[in-house]
Amino acid sequence: MQSKQSKPTIWRDFDFVLLGLVMLLVIIGILMIRSATFGAVDTDLINRVPSQIRFMLIGIVVVFAIAAIDYRLLGSLHSFLYGFILFILGLVAGLGAVGAAGAQSWLNVGLQVQPSELGKLLLVITLGQFLADRYQQMDSLRTVILSGIHVAVPALMIFVQPDLGTTTVIVVVWFVMVWAAGLRLKHLALLILVALVAMPVLWLQMEPYQRERITTFVASSETCYDDPELMRSGNCTFEDEDGNGVPDVKDARYNIDQALISIGSGGLMGKGYGNGSQTQGRFLRVRHTDFIFSVIAEEMGFMGAVAVITLMGLVVLRCLRAARLAADPLGSLIAYGVAGMIFFQTMVSIGMNLSILPVTGLTLPFVSSGGSSLITMLIGIGLVESVVMRRRIREYV
């Protein structure tokens, strides 16, 4: 009788606070995407808001569906899930569509999906199970190396697409999870040494535009935007999605400059919703995805930006709470992995808007436009809910 009662009773621990915080961020994102794309004539931009609303509704269902599945069942399927990750990434290599900056990272399955987004989240499950099975062996360097190999194969498949941003997220999530599992300081020192040795090799394997983003961040160079003579020459313009001539989008510093102008001009309370001059004037590129935080800061001001950061911080704290309450190592590691993913992407997305980190193309979780990114993050929230709902595991055995 107790087992029959367990299914309905686990929902009493569903974290509605976490879901409410996430939905608030998603709604803020939809509002800011609407402002960022208002008046656009490009079909893709026009469809961004209704598309984001559809994915939000699907995502709500996904959260409850994933939460209803015992995360331990998903962990038991880790071999299948790992094979699935390699399969979908292999499909991208063979059949993927070329997207932004020449990256072959999309599959057309009736709609455009980015398998690397799902892959990085499924790796949280497979790596979580891998580490949970070896929880008492984390003092062994062999365990750390094997865990690195576990993520290295899919990470390399994503890196060659090329997608440096997602690859970096996977590496950071791996580090967060092995640290949570009990990484020894002597092994941490060794990993830092290996990373330093590998950096030159990684640099040589990057695409030219990826290296340019980093060198632009490290050392500011004169740009079309900075040189009035080049601007007047007519050799430094392109047509944006509305047919307006603006400074060369290939200029590595242009968007960084415009983002800083947007953020700085917002002041304390902002210029008002839909009244951002950089946003509405189309000076700020990819404002609905990579630079959505600049739109928020310009139109909602410092207070609006702080509110979004606070909400994101609360989401991470609720995920860490789930990790603390988890009934077993697998649940704890999954929650830590999701928290690390959300925190790192938030930090990098905001950092590149503020020009304190290089531009990587990472979206602001739950806020930036993008169906694959939104669904992936909501699946992650569903996993955290699954963990926290089953924290009283002994009651259901």
Side-chain angles (χ1 to χ4, degrees), residues 65-342:
I66 297 297
I69 301 173
D70 193 328
Y71 66 91
R72 291 165 291 171
L73 173 61
L74 295 174
S76 68
L77 299 173
H78 65 98
S79 296
F80 170 79
L81 293 177
Y82 190 75
F84 179 70
I85 294 170
L86 300 183
F87 173 72
I88 59 176
L89 294 178
L91 281 182
V92 172
L95 305 173
V98 177
Q104 186 176 346
S105 55
W106 297 85
L107 280 180
N108 192 338
V109 291
L111 70 161
Q112 292 278 5
V113 296
Q114 192 173 6
S116 59
E117 285 288 331
L118 178 61
K120 70 183 181 185
L121 186 60
L122 293 180
L123 270 175
V124 171
I125 301 173
T126 62
L127 178 61
Q129 187 63 60
F130 180 92
L131 294 173
D133 290 340
R134 298 162 178 80
Y135 211 62
Q136 303 300 322
Q137 304 168 26
M138 286 306 298
D139 57 343
S140 169
L141 180 60
R142 180 174 181 273
T143 300
V144 178
I145 293 174
L146 289 176
S147 70
I149 295 173
H150 183 91
V151 301
V153 176
L156 286 173
M157 295 177 73
I158 294 172
F159 177 76
V160 300
Q161 291 180 358
D163 187 346
L164 180 61
T166 303
T167 305
T168 306
V169 172
I170 290 174
V171 173
V172 170
V173 169
W174 166 75
F175 175 76
V176 168
M177 293 180 69
V178 294
W179 179 265
L183 180 68
R184 299 294 182 263
L185 290 178
K186 61 180 180 180
H187 296 156
L188 173 61
L190 181 60
L191 290 174
I192 293 174
L193 179 62
V194 171
L196 292 174
V197 172
M199 277 185 180
V201 178
L202 177 64
W203 177 262
L204 293 174
Q205 296 303 314
M206 288 182 186
E207 294 294 316
Y209 77 89
Q210 293 172 332
R211 291 197 292 267
E212 184 182 15
R213 286 174 173 177
I214 296 174
T215 55
T216 298
F217 169 74
V218 174
S220 296
S221 59
E222 190 175 65
T223 68
C224 288
Y225 178 70
D226 298 322
D227 192 334
E229 291 300 322
L230 288 176
M231 290 286 287
R232 285 194 290 270
S233 71
N235 296 322
C236 205
T237 62
F238 79 107
E239 286 193 351
D240 68 6
E241 66 267 23
D242 295 331
N244 301 314
V246 296
D248 188 0
V249 75
K250 295 179 181 178
D251 183 330
R253 280 207 58 86
Y254 173 71
N255 255 346
I256 298 174
D257 293 335
Q258 293 299 324
L260 289 175
I261 293 171
S262 300
I263 294 170
S265 65
L268 182 63
M269 303 302 296
K271 296 179 177 178
Y273 181 72
N275 293 321
S277 56
Q278 301 302 116
T279 300
Q280 305 306 323
R282 305 293 189 266
F283 296 106
L284 182 64
R285 299 288 297 175
V286 286
R287 54 197 172 274
H288 55 292
T289 52
D290 297 4
F291 290 92
I292 193 76
F293 183 78
S294 297
V295 179
I296 296 170
E298 182 181 30
E299 299 192 350
M300 301 293 110
F302 177 77
M303 298 304 294
V306 168
V308 169
I309 294 172
T310 301
L311 288 172
M312 207 71 73
L314 291 173
V315 168
V316 172
L317 287 176
R318 298 302 289 190
C319 292
L320 293 177
R321 170 181 174 269
R324 178 174 58 83
L325 295 175
D328 57 13
L330 174 59
S332 181
L333 288 168
I334 287 175
Y336 275 124
V338 174
M341 186 182 302
I342 295 172

Side-chain angles (χ1 to χ4, degrees), residues 6-7 9-11 13-14 64-73 325-328 331 382-396:
S6 64
K7 290 184 178 179
T9 56
I10 62 173
W11 290 96
D13 288 324
F14 186 92
F64 284 99
I66 297 297
I69 301 173
D70 193 328
Y71 66 91
R72 291 165 291 171
L73 173 61
L325 295 175
D328 57 13
L383 286 173
V384 173
E385 294 285 8
S386 177
V387 170
V388 78
M389 284 165 56
R390 292 165 179 83
R391 61 184 180 176
R392 307 173 199 269
I393 188 171
R394 291 181 179 80
E395 295 183 13
Y396 310 123

